Amino acid sequence: MFKFLKGVVGGSGTGLKDLPYNIGDPYPSAWGSWTHFRGTSKDDGSPVSIFSLSGSNAQDGHLAAGRNGVKRLRTVRHPNILSFLHSTEAETTDGSASKVTIYMVTEPVMPLSEKIKELGLEGTQRDEYYAWGLHQVAKAVSFLNNDCKLVHGNVCMASVVVTPTLDWKLHAFDVLSEFDGNNEASSGQMLQYAWLIGSQYKPMELVKSDLAVIRKSPAWAIDSWGLGCLIYEIFSGLKLVKTEELRNTASIPKSLLPDYQRLLSSMPSRRLNTSKLIENSEYFQNKLVDTIHFMEILSLKDSVEKDTFFRKLPVLAEQLPRQIVLKKLLPLLASALEFGSAAAPALTALLKMGSWLSTEEFNAKLLPTIVKLFASNDRAIRTGLLQHIDQFGESLSSQTVDEQVYPHIATGFSDTSAFLRELTLKSMLVLAPKLSQRTISGSLLKHLSKLQVDEEPAIRTNTTILLGNIAGYLNEGTRKRVLINAFTVRALRDTFSPARGAGIMALCATSGYYDSTEIATRILPNVVVLTIDPDSDVRSKSFQAVDQFLQLLKQNNEKEISGDTTAAGLNIPSLPGNASLLGWAMSSLTLKGKPSEHASSAPVSSNAPLAATSSDSISVENAPTMAPVRVSSSFDLTESHATESPTSTDGWGEVENGIHDEDETEKDGWDELEPLEEPKPSPALANIQAAQKRPVSQPAQTKPPSSRSTARPAKDDDDLWGSIAAPAPRTVSKPLNLKASGTVDDDDPWAAIAAPAPMTRAKPLSAGRGRGSKPAAPKLGAQRINRTSSTGM
């Protein structure tokens, strides 16, 4: 029991060797006989402050007062009082003389006088910061006097320290004692260490040591006088030397002068209570004090007050002292958002303040909070993060994005809000370069395959544009399997004209990834069809694309003729009319995510989205949104029918050249990526998906009668054109029943099939089918052939 009591009074350690802190350099000033050192923890290196006080022997008066201060600081807790961490005493012997040293460890702080010099504030910002600091010290003094019935005894500039967040805190409790004013006959010694107080800081009753008058006075009388001394030292910038200097009020702000004079009243009973100073002083009513006070009691505010405050905060922050905003307001705001007490509009203010930090400070102080916010279930928070991802996306490490950020963002791909789905899609332009190939192939492309058949035309359009922009981050195998199918099968057959235009732009921007065979057999046949598109912008882009790809083939041919062995790769710059920079085509979505009307469209501007560079440099430009244009009903893309293609898939899957049974359902793309399970689409969405699988229709052309009128097997016709036929819907389609017609040339199937869009590499034509035909490759296994009569469409 004795050891425990001795530890409470004397310290919490056994000596300097057991002090779990490293002592650093001292500050030039400290209160009384204490020395203030910088320090760090031996465990984690976190900063601390270490105060030391030495005496010649254990009975030294300074040591006794120091032990009183350590005990008081350990037991008194308040936000505006210095936080105690650890203490110990160490005794050292130097020859015959011994020395006892008290070590007290606290949170990291800096003397107020040094911090004021470091900040160098002037004018209004200086006054606002001083008001906030005095407000904090006044609350600490009021707590001691009114709530604890304690007297500090020596409030002055030396007894105030500043934390890294620029908070002012009261310490130097060596003189602290209970106020026993109700017991005038008490024999106990009140303020028994008052001899440590400088005479310039003592009120007249303390100078005379008139304890009777002190006991009759209010508990706050002595500390109110000390607060007046602190005000003088702060605004004059000088250390108080004589009590008479307090009469010099030239440096005191006019709004604070009446309260300053009442604090220094010669009659103790008439001195202003610090609690009244906090409540009524006009000086404390400024923007900085009000803003920080609101943040400190944020949990007590209702949603309307929070929303109003945070919407004004970005503008207000620019008017406040920058150092206080970054070191005090920003941590408060980050903490409020992280723990859910702040509204979503606070994110805008947080990111604006964060833009004032250096890159190192931003990564250390703000980025961890932002990463945690991605896990928030608040849709407004997630929306705000995605809208501003360009401000901090580059600062995120690849590992952080792949493991902590993307899994939460990916939930937005399937969100019920179309606006959030589009924001999630656009955020991938910033995050995709930081994703691993496993994540891109295993997750991202699956989500993009679903968005390419989204019910919102704007999302379908921007999905195509995103694929063109991130093509450089896909591995070669994935590009071969995905790009052409995504751009031709889906984008070029979309009912939304900007989506078709985006498909053409994406093909041009990624032209360096295709070989001459793919260009000739899979790209050009699909693009040429769009030269008669009802939308003039799509027609213009298709003509430019045809010119670009023909030029690529010509240049490749010239290289082959000249014997250039590097002709296999077509890394040739785009034509001046196109480029490899894809900008977001448009966005018809609102914050509420209201579905867009499919009948009206905002076509992609042919002037803004593209600027020529190499096909490997991919970035984003914002293209202007054009006025809605209604698609002409004279050219209905949804009325045409596709023939079954037994030799190819119609989407993002790997092309297979095997022979399938005629009843086998073709997969609608992305089959190698195994798209995520989704519920059965609505009728409207099903119509869009079916339309994307159908070729563009053309007026049927009449051919002269053929000399051969014998019936052809339907399956053989499918085999003949299956390699270039448009993809079939997911549902099993019935074989076409070709009716006999005297005007159809059996040797020219184009007379019976309305411009089907080629999809995969052309197969050799079957023997006896068409002009210039070559013998068909032998087919393995049993085949079922249904002979029917040849008919026209």
Side-chain angles (χ1 to χ4, degrees):
M1 178 63 72
F2 176 76
K3 290 183 178 180
F4 170 77
L5 293 175
K6 182 178 180 182
V8 171
V9 176
S12 56
T14 58
L16 183 59
K17 63 180 180 180
D18 299 319
L19 186 68
Y21 300 92
N22 299 312
I23 300 177
D25 299 329
Y27 286 100
S29 62
W31 182 87
S33 301
W34 289 87
T35 303
H36 184 180
F37 295 92
R38 300 173 179 86
T40 57
S41 171
K42 292 180 180 179
D43 294 334
D44 55 8
S46 58
V48 295
S49 281
I50 301 176
F51 296 84
S52 69
L53 178 66
S54 299
S56 56
N57 57 72
Q59 306 302 320
D60 189 291
H62 288 87
L63 291 178
R67 293 189 186 100
N68 178 65
V70 171
K71 180 186 70 174
R72 297 292 188 176
L73 194 63
R74 181 190 291 124
T75 56
V76 177
R77 298 286 183 174
H78 187 269
N80 302 119
I81 292 176
L82 185 61
S83 297
F84 173 90
L85 297 178
H86 184 83
S87 67
T88 189
E89 284 191 27
E91 183 174 356
T92 58
T93 303
D94 185 10
S96 59
S98 62
K99 184 171 82 170
V100 178
T101 304
I102 299 175
Y103 293 95
M104 180 175 65
V105 184
T106 68
E107 61 180 315
V109 289
M110 186 177 186
L112 176 59
S113 57
E114 301 297 323
K115 179 57 71 173
I116 289 176
K117 294 177 184 177
E118 181 183 291
L119 292 175
L121 298 176
E122 295 181 354
T124 304
Q125 291 191 344
R126 185 201 72 162
D127 290 343
E128 287 182 344
Y129 179 59
Y130 286 177
W132 176 49
L134 287 172
H135 187 268
Q136 292 182 300
V137 174
K139 286 196 294 184
V141 172
S142 176
F143 171 74
L144 292 175
N145 297 159
N146 299 306
D147 298 334
C148 302
K149 300 302 179 183
L150 297 172
V151 179
H152 183 278
N154 192 22
V155 178
C156 61
M157 181 177 284
S159 62
V160 178
V161 288
V162 184
T163 67
T165 58
L166 302 183
D167 292 298
W168 291 18
K169 295 203 173 186
L170 186 65
H171 81 124
F173 282 8
D174 295 25
V175 186
L176 188 78
S177 68
E178 287 83 2
F179 179 76
D180 56 355
N182 295 329
N183 187 6
E184 298 182 8
S186 174
S187 59
Q189 180 70 27
M190 187 176 72
L191 297 172
Q192 58 177 327
Y193 302 111
W195 52 272
L196 292 171
I197 306 172
S199 60
Q200 69 272 29
Y201 297 113
K202 291 182 179 181
M204 188 56 64
E205 66 272 19
L206 194 57
V207 171
K208 297 179 179 179
S209 299
D210 192 344
L211 293 180
V213 174
I214 293 174
R215 286 191 172 96
K216 291 180 182 179
S217 303
W220 62 81
I222 294 177
D223 289 338
S224 293
W225 178 278
L227 192 60
C229 297
L230 173 63
I231 292 173
Y232 173 82
E233 289 185 318
I234 288 173
F235 287 102
S236 67
L238 303 172
K239 181 177 176 64
L240 184 62
V241 179
K242 297 180 180 179
T243 305
E244 290 75 14
E245 294 176 352
L246 295 173
R247 299 181 182 275
N248 184 4
T249 60
S251 60
I252 308 298
K254 292 183 179 179
S255 59
L256 185 60
L257 185 58
D259 297 321
Y260 171 76
Q261 293 172 334
R262 292 182 63 189
L263 288 170
L264 296 174
S265 174
S266 58
M267 299 180 62
S269 59
R270 298 183 62 180
R271 289 178 192 150
L272 181 64
N273 189 341
T274 49
S275 63
K276 300 296 182 183
L277 175 69
I278 297 169
E279 296 171 2
N280 304 325
S281 179
E282 179 184 349
Y283 181 68
F284 295 133
Q285 298 174 7
N286 63 56
K287 292 179 291 187
L288 180 62
V289 174
D290 294 341
T291 301
I292 296 177
H293 180 66
F294 188 98
M295 288 296 302
E296 289 177 340
I297 60 171
L298 188 63
S299 59
L300 304 179
K301 301 294 183 179
D302 59 40
S303 59
V304 176
E305 291 176 309
K306 291 179 182 179
D307 190 73
T308 303
F309 172 78
F310 288 124
R311 292 189 187 279
K312 295 179 179 179
L313 187 57
V315 176
L316 184 62
E318 294 181 347
Q319 305 170 8
L320 301 177
R322 183 62 53 88
Q323 291 296 323
I324 290 97
V325 169
L326 297 180
K327 293 185 177 181
K328 178 62 180 179
L329 270 182
L330 187 59
L332 285 174
L333 193 57
S335 177
L337 275 168
E338 185 175 341
F339 294 103
S341 59
L347 186 62
T348 303
L350 180 79
L351 294 175
K352 182 171 185 177
M353 295 177 189
S355 66
W356 300 335
L357 294 170
S358 65
T359 303
E360 294 76 14
E361 290 178 322
F362 182 89
N363 294 341
K365 297 179 179 179
L366 209 55
L367 212 55
T369 298
I370 292 175
V371 171
K372 292 178 182 178
L373 289 178
F374 276 105
S376 173
N377 294 324
D378 188 341
R379 182 172 289 176
I381 293 288
R382 291 163 56 197
T383 300
L385 287 170
L386 294 175
Q387 286 176 322
H388 299 92
I389 198 166
D390 56 322
Q391 297 182 23
F392 58 84
E394 295 299 326
S395 301
L396 296 169
S397 66
S398 297
Q399 182 178 1
T400 300
V401 171
D402 204 47
E403 297 178 359
Q404 300 181 49
V405 176
Y406 176 78
H408 298 295
I409 289 184
T411 60
F413 285 119
S414 56
D415 197 275
T416 55
S417 168
F419 183 70
L420 191 55
R421 292 200 303 275
E422 185 178 41
L423 286 177
T424 304
L425 174 70
K426 291 184 175 182
S427 71
M428 290 300 108
L429 194 66
V430 177
L431 300 182
K434 300 177 181 292
L435 294 176
S436 64
Q437 286 297 321
R438 180 177 180 180
T439 302
I440 291 176
S441 300
S443 176
L444 177 59
L445 292 180
K446 291 180 183 179
H447 290 297
L448 295 185
S449 72
K450 294 172 62 179
L451 292 184
Q452 257 208 325
V453 292
D454 194 89
E455 62 183 5
E456 288 291 341
I459 293 178
R460 300 199 301 272
T461 304
N462 285 327
T463 301
T464 300
I465 292 174
L466 175 66
L467 280 169
N469 281 322
I470 68 172
Y473 306 116
L474 307 178
N475 59 45
E476 184 177 357
T478 303
R479 283 198 296 263
K480 291 286 185 183
R481 190 172 68 248
V482 168
L483 293 185
I484 295 181
N485 290 321
F487 297 151
T488 59
V489 176
R490 289 189 174 176
L492 297 188
R493 301 184 185 189
D494 200 295
T495 57
F496 193 52
S497 59
R500 299 196 294 276
I504 298 173
M505 290 192 297
L507 284 170
C508 295
T510 57
S511 59
Y513 299 124
Y514 312 128
D515 58 35
S516 54
T517 301
E518 291 172 326
I519 292 175
T521 62
R522 303 183 64 189
I523 296 177
L524 279 175
N526 284 282
V527 175
V528 167
V529 176
L530 296 181
T531 57
I532 58 170
D533 193 273
D535 188 275
S536 60
D537 190 60
V538 175
R539 293 198 300 271
S540 175
K541 287 183 172 62
S542 63
F543 280 118
Q544 294 177 11
V546 170
D547 292 341
Q548 175 178 337
F549 285 111
L550 285 177
Q551 182 177 349
L552 291 174
L553 292 178
K554 289 178 182 178
Q555 294 180 12
N556 184 55
N557 179 58
E558 293 172 358
K559 289 184 178 181
E560 289 182 349
I561 293 175
S562 63
D564 190 347
T565 58
T566 63
L570 292 178
N571 294 320
I572 302 172
S574 305
L575 291 179
N578 285 304
S580 53
L581 294 182
L582 292 179
W584 297 123
M586 46 77 71
S587 176
S588 60
L589 306 179
T590 63
L591 183 60
K592 295 181 181 179
K594 182 179 180 181
S596 301
E597 294 296 329
H598 290 213
S600 63
S601 62
V604 183
S605 171
S606 59
N607 301 324
L610 304 175
T613 59
S614 68
S615 62
D616 291 331
S617 62
I618 299 173
S619 63
V620 173
E621 295 175 357
N622 289 324
T625 301
M626 304 299 289
V629 176
R630 188 170 296 276
V631 178
S632 173
S633 60
S634 63
F635 192 90
D636 191 357
L637 299 177
T638 64
E639 294 299 326
S640 59
H641 297 277
T643 57
E644 200 171 33
S645 174
T647 60
S648 66
T649 58
D650 65 345
W652 296 32
E654 191 171 18
V655 176
E656 299 176 359
N657 293 322
I659 303 300
H660 301 276
D661 188 89
E662 63 177 341
D663 294 328
E664 182 179 351
T665 302
E666 298 287 347
K667 296 183 178 180
D668 184 15
W670 304 69
D671 47 312
E672 292 296 321
L673 301 175
E674 299 180 357
L676 302 175
E677 293 295 331
E678 61 179 346
K680 184 177 181 181
S682 62
L685 181 56
N687 290 338
I688 294 171
Q689 295 173 340
Q692 291 177 328
K693 304 181 181 71
R694 299 168 185 159
V696 180
S697 63
Q698 289 187 135
Q701 299 180 4
T702 303
K703 293 289 182 178
S706 173
S707 60
R708 300 177 60 187
S709 59
T710 57
R712 302 273 182 187
K715 180 61 184 178
D716 288 350
D717 285 340
D718 287 348
D719 288 341
L720 173 63
W721 296 106
S723 60
I724 58 174
R730 286 186 182 274
T731 57
V732 178
S733 61
K734 297 181 180 180
L736 295 176
N737 295 322
L738 304 178
K739 297 181 180 180
S741 174
T743 62
V744 176
D745 185 356
D746 291 339
D747 292 331
D748 188 4
W750 287 106
I753 301 175
M759 289 304 305
T760 59
R761 293 176 295 176
K763 287 182 57 183
L765 299 178
S766 311
R769 301 291 189 267
R771 303 179 184 89
S773 60
K774 296 181 180 180
K779 300 178 181 179
L780 301 180
Q783 301 182 45
R784 183 175 60 199
I785 300 177
N786 296 326
R787 301 275 181 182
T788 60
S789 61
S790 176
T791 64
M793 292 297 290

Coordinates of all heavy atoms in Angstrom, one line a residue, residues 409-437:
I409 N -16.0 -0.1 -54.9 CA -16.5 0.6 -56.1 C -17.3 -0.3 -57.0 O -18.3 0.1 -57.6 CB -15.3 1.3 -56.8 CG1 -14.8 2.4 -56.0 CG2 -15.7 1.8 -58.2 CD1 -13.6 3.2 -56.7
A410 N -16.8 -1.6 -57.2 CA -17.5 -2.5 -58.1 C -18.9 -2.7 -57.8 O -19.7 -3.0 -58.7 CB -16.7 -3.8 -58.1
T411 N -19.4 -2.5 -56.6 CA -20.8 -2.6 -56.3 C -21.6 -1.6 -57.0 O -22.8 -1.8 -57.3 CB -21.1 -2.5 -54.8 OG1 -20.6 -1.2 -54.3 CG2 -20.3 -3.6 -54.0
G412 N -21.0 -0.5 -57.4 CA -21.8 0.5 -58.2 C -22.1 0.1 -59.6 O -23.0 0.7 -60.2
F413 N -21.4 -0.9 -60.2 CA -21.8 -1.3 -61.5 C -23.2 -1.8 -61.6 O -23.8 -1.7 -62.7 CB -20.8 -2.3 -62.0 CG -19.4 -1.8 -62.3 CD1 -18.3 -2.2 -61.7 CD2 -19.2 -0.9 -63.4 CE1 -17.0 -1.8 -62.0 CE2 -18.0 -0.4 -63.7 CZ -16.9 -0.8 -63.0
S414 N -23.7 -2.4 -60.6 CA -25.0 -3.0 -60.6 C -26.0 -2.2 -59.7 O -27.0 -2.8 -59.3 CB -24.9 -4.5 -60.1 OG -24.3 -4.6 -58.8
D415 N -25.6 -1.0 -59.4 CA -26.5 -0.2 -58.5 C -27.8 0.1 -59.3 O -27.8 0.2 -60.5 CB -25.8 1.1 -58.1 CG -26.5 1.8 -56.9 OD1 -27.4 2.5 -57.1 OD2 -26.1 1.5 -55.8
T416 N -28.9 0.3 -58.5 CA -30.2 0.6 -59.1 C -30.2 2.0 -59.7 O -31.0 2.4 -60.5 CB -31.3 0.4 -58.1 OG1 -31.0 1.2 -57.0 CG2 -31.4 -1.0 -57.7
S417 N -29.3 2.9 -59.2 CA -29.2 4.3 -59.7 C -28.4 4.3 -60.9 O -27.2 4.0 -60.9 CB -28.7 5.2 -58.6 OG -28.3 6.5 -59.1
A418 N -29.0 4.8 -62.0 CA -28.2 4.9 -63.3 C -27.1 5.9 -63.2 O -26.1 5.7 -63.8 CB -29.2 5.3 -64.4
F419 N -27.4 7.0 -62.4 CA -26.3 8.0 -62.2 C -25.1 7.4 -61.5 O -24.0 7.7 -61.9 CB -26.9 9.2 -61.4 CG -26.0 10.3 -61.2 CD1 -25.6 11.1 -62.3 CD2 -25.4 10.6 -60.0 CE1 -24.7 12.2 -62.1 CE2 -24.5 11.6 -59.8 CZ -24.2 12.4 -60.9
L420 N -25.3 6.6 -60.5 CA -24.2 6.0 -59.8 C -23.5 5.0 -60.7 O -22.2 4.8 -60.7 CB -24.7 5.3 -58.5 CG -23.6 4.9 -57.5 CD1 -22.7 6.1 -57.2 CD2 -24.2 4.4 -56.3
R421 N -24.2 4.2 -61.5 CA -23.6 3.3 -62.4 C -22.7 4.0 -63.4 O -21.6 3.6 -63.7 CB -24.6 2.5 -63.2 CG -25.5 1.5 -62.4 CD -26.1 0.5 -63.3 NE -27.0 1.0 -64.3 CZ -28.2 1.3 -64.2 NH1 -28.8 1.2 -63.0 NH2 -28.9 1.8 -65.2
E422 N -23.1 5.2 -63.9 CA -22.3 5.9 -64.9 C -21.1 6.5 -64.2 O -20.0 6.5 -64.8 CB -23.1 7.0 -65.5 CG -22.4 7.8 -66.6 CD -23.2 8.9 -67.2 OE1 -23.9 9.6 -66.5 OE2 -23.1 9.0 -68.5
L423 N -21.2 7.0 -63.0 CA -20.1 7.5 -62.2 C -19.0 6.4 -62.0 O -17.8 6.6 -62.1 CB -20.5 8.2 -60.9 CG -21.2 9.5 -61.0 CD1 -21.6 10.0 -59.6 CD2 -20.3 10.6 -61.6
T424 N -19.5 5.2 -61.6 CA -18.6 4.1 -61.4 C -17.9 3.8 -62.7 O -16.7 3.5 -62.6 CB -19.5 2.9 -60.9 OG1 -20.2 3.2 -59.7 CG2 -18.5 1.7 -60.6
L425 N -18.6 3.8 -63.8 CA -18.0 3.5 -65.1 C -16.9 4.5 -65.4 O -15.8 4.1 -65.7 CB -19.1 3.5 -66.1 CG -18.6 3.4 -67.6 CD1 -18.1 2.0 -67.9 CD2 -19.7 3.8 -68.5
K426 N -17.2 5.8 -65.2 CA -16.2 6.8 -65.5 C -15.0 6.8 -64.6 O -13.9 7.1 -65.0 CB -16.8 8.2 -65.5 CG -17.8 8.4 -66.6 CD -18.4 9.8 -66.6 CE -19.3 10.0 -67.8 NZ -19.8 11.4 -67.9
S427 N -15.2 6.3 -63.3 CA -14.1 6.3 -62.4 C -13.0 5.3 -62.8 O -11.8 5.4 -62.4 CB -14.6 5.9 -61.0 OG -15.0 4.6 -60.9
M428 N -13.4 4.3 -63.6 CA -12.5 3.3 -64.0 C -11.4 3.8 -64.9 O -10.3 3.3 -65.1 CB -13.2 2.1 -64.8 CG -14.0 1.3 -63.9 SD -13.1 0.5 -62.6 CE -13.7 1.4 -61.2
L429 N -11.6 5.0 -65.5 CA -10.6 5.6 -66.4 C -9.4 6.0 -65.5 O -8.2 5.9 -66.0 CB -11.1 6.8 -67.1 CG -10.3 7.4 -68.2 CD1 -10.2 6.4 -69.3 CD2 -10.8 8.7 -68.7
V430 N -9.6 6.3 -64.3 CA -8.5 6.7 -63.3 C -8.0 5.5 -62.6 O -6.8 5.4 -62.4 CB -9.1 7.7 -62.3 CG1 -8.0 8.1 -61.3 CG2 -9.6 9.0 -63.0
L431 N -8.8 4.5 -62.3 CA -8.4 3.4 -61.5 C -7.9 2.2 -62.3 O -7.1 1.4 -61.8 CB -9.5 2.9 -60.6 CG -10.1 4.0 -59.6 CD1 -11.2 3.4 -58.8 CD2 -9.0 4.5 -58.7
A432 N -8.4 2.0 -63.6 CA -8.0 0.9 -64.3 C -6.5 0.7 -64.5 O -6.0 -0.4 -64.4 CB -8.6 0.9 -65.7
P433 N -5.7 1.8 -64.7 CA -4.2 1.6 -64.8 C -3.6 1.0 -63.5 O -2.5 0.4 -63.6 CB -3.7 3.0 -65.0 CG -4.8 3.7 -65.6 CD -6.0 3.2 -65.0
K434 N -4.3 1.0 -62.4 CA -3.7 0.5 -61.1 C -4.3 -0.8 -60.8 O -3.9 -1.4 -59.7 CB -4.1 1.5 -60.0 CG -3.5 2.9 -60.2 CD -3.9 3.9 -59.1 CE -3.3 5.3 -59.3 NZ -1.8 5.3 -59.2
L435 N -5.1 -1.4 -61.6 CA -5.7 -2.7 -61.3 C -4.8 -3.8 -61.9 O -4.2 -3.6 -62.9 CB -7.1 -2.8 -61.9 CG -8.2 -1.9 -61.3 CD1 -9.5 -2.1 -62.1 CD2 -8.4 -2.2 -59.9
S436 N -4.8 -4.9 -61.2 CA -4.0 -6.1 -61.7 C -4.8 -6.7 -62.9 O -6.0 -6.5 -63.1 CB -3.8 -7.1 -60.6 OG -5.1 -7.6 -60.2
Q437 N -4.0 -7.5 -63.7 CA -4.6 -8.1 -64.9 C -5.7 -9.1 -64.4 O -6.7 -9.3 -65.1 CB -3.6 -8.9 -65.7 CG -2.7 -8.0 -66.5 CD -3.5 -7.2 -67.6 OE1 -4.4 -7.8 -68.2 NE2 -3.2 -5.9 -67.8

